[in-house]
Amino acid sequence: MEEKKALFEYLLRLGDDSLILGQRLSEWCGHGPILEEDIAMTNIALDLIGQATNLFEYASSLGVDKRSADELAFVRYEKDYRNLLLVEQENTDFGYTLARQFLFDAFRKPFFEALSQSSDQQLAAIAEKSLKETKYHLQHSSEWMIRLGDGTDESHERIQQAVNQLWAYTEEIFEQDQIDQQLIQAGIAVDLSVIRASWTKQVQAVFSEAGIDLPQNTWQQKGGRQGKHTEHMGYLLAEMQFMQRAYPQMEW
Amino acid sequence: MSQAEWPLFEVFIRSKNGLNHKHVGSLRAADEEMAIQNARDVYTRRSEGVSIWVVQSSLITASDPQDADALFEPADSKIYRHPTFYDVPDGISHM
Amino acid sequence: MSQELSIEELEKRFQEKIDAEIKIEPNDWMPDDYRKTLIRQISQHAHSEIVGMLPEGNWITRAPSLRRKAVLLAKVQDEAGHGLYLYSAAETLGADREETIDDLHSGKAKYSSIFNYPTLSWADMGTIGWLVDGAAIMNQVPLCRCSYGPYARAMVRVCKEESFHQRQGFEIVTKLAQGTPEQKEMAQDSLNRWWWPSLMMFGPSDADSQHTAQSMKWKIKRNTNDDLRQQFVDITVPQAELIGLTIPDPDLKWNEERQSYDFGEINWDEFNQVIRGNGPCNKKRIEDRRNAKENGKWVREAALAHAEKRKMKKAV
């Protein structure tokens, strides 16, 4: 594949992860468990939307096709979104939201660390900015995992349950295909097999302090990078794309 | 009714190096780490700070405003503590 | 040390301080009614910020561009922050935040009735910023000089941060007013729905306002409801004209003599009904807030329990 096209595809994957998780988190705005945490979650959502914007703008600037950043974000079919299944999972409760966030942050931090060394300077710059944000996100979600895991009996049970449910979407994080391989060889993309150890270490350390058991289920769900999503995705998009679908081709 | 409420913390922010930490308000948090993070999210959304102090409000001892006369007015008469109290001859600078 | 002063003497000294524009601080002596009035007003104000997050929060997930989504998120988040500053100010008067919030949830405490109207289109995000925040700013700027220090300081912060809120709203409406016929209609429809409730935001007419006189004497309040309402109309009407929208008031006309706009009669029945809980969204708004608190209970308890455990570990 032409390198530009591969990069475009890669940017969509990263952008979609940020966008869809930002969309999910933003559902909390106004409904958080306490005012301070409402504000904190919105900050994280804002960071993620900002990352998505940077990534889509870069993708759009490559000139692979004529779509703007907003069109990339809002006017694709479900099967054309490339995000991990993990990030599209429903908020369910604060425990699920936090567990989802933690499993993702623990991946994103080493990922952006590595990506900030990318030979593609623009991508490296986006990664460097995102890394600062992500370090904070990981600190926030790690501390909450520990509070919930080592809090009350109820919170322990809830967070363990959330982790058990979401575990099936963790293997996919480290899936790589030809696009990854091509861009890794060009020094642009991150070799996910290399950062996996860092993710595992962080997850184990936090789980251990939180008293959360590592789930034993080995059966894993995959397909997000190929556009095969879970049932939640359609509803998320129906809401997110409402304006574009109801009033096509207008500017806002 | 909520029985166990998170304790109240007072928040102090240094807006840039070279300046004192200044009281900006309060918030609730379950522990000190959370108080710092919450302070960051609540009080520095527009880059208002480079350093944060938090202290549980109940740990602060304040002077009693009823004693303000006795505490602070005696200082008003000690004008010799201020440089403008002294005459310096014309032609002397840097003093 | 302090000798015992009579209440009359304390009240006299208090009023002298107010008249001399000396701010009252948390531990200073203050009349019970001053404290009560402030707690009522500040917590109502805080509740308004928090409940006010909901009608706009309703559109965050549907915002039509990345930029609009980020701006709206940031704005609604600011409102949470403002609520927090205000609850903090109320706490300095001894009003426990959670108890204050429980009063909101039980219906005992009020909040700005404008937030009991529904947000039905994207244009409402613009109109709320333009009109509702516009009216709020007009109410809030004088509060920066309020006699109670912590409230005044909170308001300085709020006003500084709110300056972008009205602009982003007006930008949304302007974009629509200059857009396709559908967009323009969406903007006009939104203005039609929000205009009158916005005027009601300034509260009852001075003649019917229970609190105005005493609050002005205490310098909690600096302008009357009717004055502020008139200012709002005078500023807003030309803005609407400039972008080609029509204010939905057949009686609206320029009064050369007063150098102000005359405007139609406000439907105070509607105002009173909404305050009494019969607005389109009263129940939904309170239910949302109550659910947030109820669903977050286990989270707050867990954090507290964990903090306790850690303290114990440290102590060992």
Side-chain angles (χ1 to χ4, degrees), chain A residues 19 22-23 26-27 29-36 38-40 42-43 45-46 49-50 52-53 56 69-70 73-74 93-95 143-144 146-152 154-156 158-159 209 236 238-244 246-247 249-252, chain C residues 50 53-54 57-71 73-74 76-77 80-84 87 97-98 101 121-122 171-172 175-176 180 182-183 186 284 288-289 291-293 295-303 305-306 309-310 313:
Chain A
L19 175 66
Q23 174 77 5
S26 71
E27 293 171 17
C29 188
H31 307 276
I34 189 165
L35 214 38
E36 284 83 349
D38 204 304
I39 294 172
T42 309
N43 255 353
L46 273 171
I49 303 290
T53 306
F56 290 141
D70 276 325
F74 292 98
D93 69 5
F94 187 76
E143 285 179 14
W144 266 112
I146 294 164
R147 283 190 197 106
L148 297 180
D150 186 30
T152 60
E154 183 186 2
S155 73
H156 177 81
R158 279 175 181 257
I159 196 67
E209 200 177 337
L236 182 146
E239 200 169 329
M240 191 175 83
Q241 301 182 332
F242 165 71
M243 292 294 286
Q244 283 73 19
Y247 306 93
Q249 309 277 326
M250 291 185 205
E251 285 192 35
W252 306 94
Chain C
I50 300 308
M53 295 169 73
L54 299 170
N58 188 32
W59 279 86
I60 290 173
T61 54
R62 290 178 289 173
S65 72
L66 291 163
R67 176 169 179 264
R68 295 283 181 219
K69 194 185 281 290
V71 169
L73 258 176
V76 179
Q77 184 198 37
H82 299 167
L84 209 155
Y87 284 125
R97 180 164 113 196
E98 293 308 309
I101 290 175
S121 73
W122 171 249
E171 189 188 86
I172 291 173
K175 188 91 185 169
L176 296 179
T180 65
E182 274 163 300
Q183 286 175 310
M186 193 191 282
K284 170 93 169 94
D288 279 358
R289 289 310 310 161
N291 285 342
K293 182 163 180 178
N295 296 337
K297 189 163 171 261
W298 71 274
V299 178
R300 297 190 304 274
E301 285 172 355
H306 178 71
K309 282 187 193 172
R310 265 208 322 203
K313 261 187 216 157

Side-chain angles (χ1 to χ4, degrees), chain B residues 5 28 33 45-46, chain C residues 78 91 96 161 300 310:
Chain B
E5 217 175 321
R28 289 193 178 268
E33 285 77 12
R45 294 197 303 284
R46 289 172 172 77
Chain C
D78 272 351
E91 294 214 68
D96 178 81
E161 297 187 351
R300 297 190 304 274
R310 265 208 322 203

Side-chain angles (χ1 to χ4, degrees), chain A residues 6-184:
Chain A
L7 177 58
F8 180 79
E9 179 70 19
Y10 193 65
L11 288 167
L12 289 190
R13 294 176 181 184
L14 305 188
D16 286 347
D17 281 352
S18 294
L19 175 66
I20 301 303
L21 186 57
Q23 174 77 5
R24 276 291 185 225
L25 269 186
S26 71
E27 293 171 17
W28 272 102
C29 188
H31 307 276
I34 189 165
L35 214 38
E36 284 83 349
E37 191 51 30
D38 204 304
I39 294 172
M41 283 199 282
T42 309
N43 255 353
I44 297 169
L46 273 171
D47 287 341
L48 290 165
I49 303 290
Q51 290 168 10
T53 306
N54 293 333
L55 291 159
F56 290 141
E57 275 174 359
Y58 185 28
S60 170
S61 76
L62 291 175
V64 168
D65 55 37
K66 291 208 160 74
R67 285 178 290 178
S68 67
D70 276 325
E71 283 167 328
L72 289 173
F74 292 98
V75 209
R76 275 180 285 155
Y77 294 118
E78 177 174 330
K79 65 178 180 46
D80 298 323
Y81 282 85
R82 295 286 181 249
N83 56 280
L84 296 168
L85 299 178
L86 176 68
V87 298
E88 73 197 41
Q89 298 310 303
E90 289 181 303
N91 289 338
T92 314
D93 69 5
F94 187 76
Y96 274 76
T97 301
L98 243 295
R100 183 184 66 201
Q101 191 69 35
F102 170 70
L103 293 169
F104 183 71
D105 293 341
F107 151 65
R108 265 293 174 97
K109 181 176 164 259
F111 177 79
F112 280 135
E113 265 163 1
L115 193 65
S116 65
Q117 306 300 316
S118 170
S119 65
D120 183 297
Q121 288 193 348
Q122 185 145 357
L123 196 52
I126 294 173
E128 207 177 312
K129 179 174 186 296
S130 308
L131 175 61
K132 288 181 192 146
E133 298 163 350
T134 307
K135 277 182 183 167
Y136 182 76
H137 302 172
L138 178 60
Q139 191 190 350
H140 176 262
S141 58
S142 299
E143 285 179 14
W144 266 112
M145 289 300 283
I146 294 164
R147 283 190 197 106
L148 297 180
D150 186 30
T152 60
D153 290 347
E154 183 186 2
S155 73
H156 177 81
E157 201 169 304
R158 279 175 181 257
I159 196 67
Q160 181 70 59
Q161 175 74 14
V163 166
N164 292 349
Q165 290 293 317
L166 292 169
W167 197 251
Y169 305 105
T170 50
E171 189 70 32
E172 185 195 24
I173 298 174
F174 302 100
E175 284 273 295
Q176 307 200 88
D177 61 11
Q178 284 167 335
I179 288 173
D180 291 279
Q181 297 305 344
Q182 184 186 345
L183 292 174
I184 290 168

Side-chain angles (χ1 to χ4, degrees), chain B residues 1-2 4 6 9 11-12 18 23 33-35 39 43 48-49 53 55 57 59 62-63 72 75 77 81 84 86 92:
Chain B
M1 288 287 160
S2 44
W6 289 358
F9 285 81
V11 180
F12 300 81
H23 183 242
E33 285 77 12
M34 194 200 282
Y43 289 105
E48 291 96 333
W53 287 350
V55 59
S57 310
L59 298 177
S63 65
F72 308 116
S77 59
R81 287 196 196 274
T84 47
Y86 301 93
I92 299 283

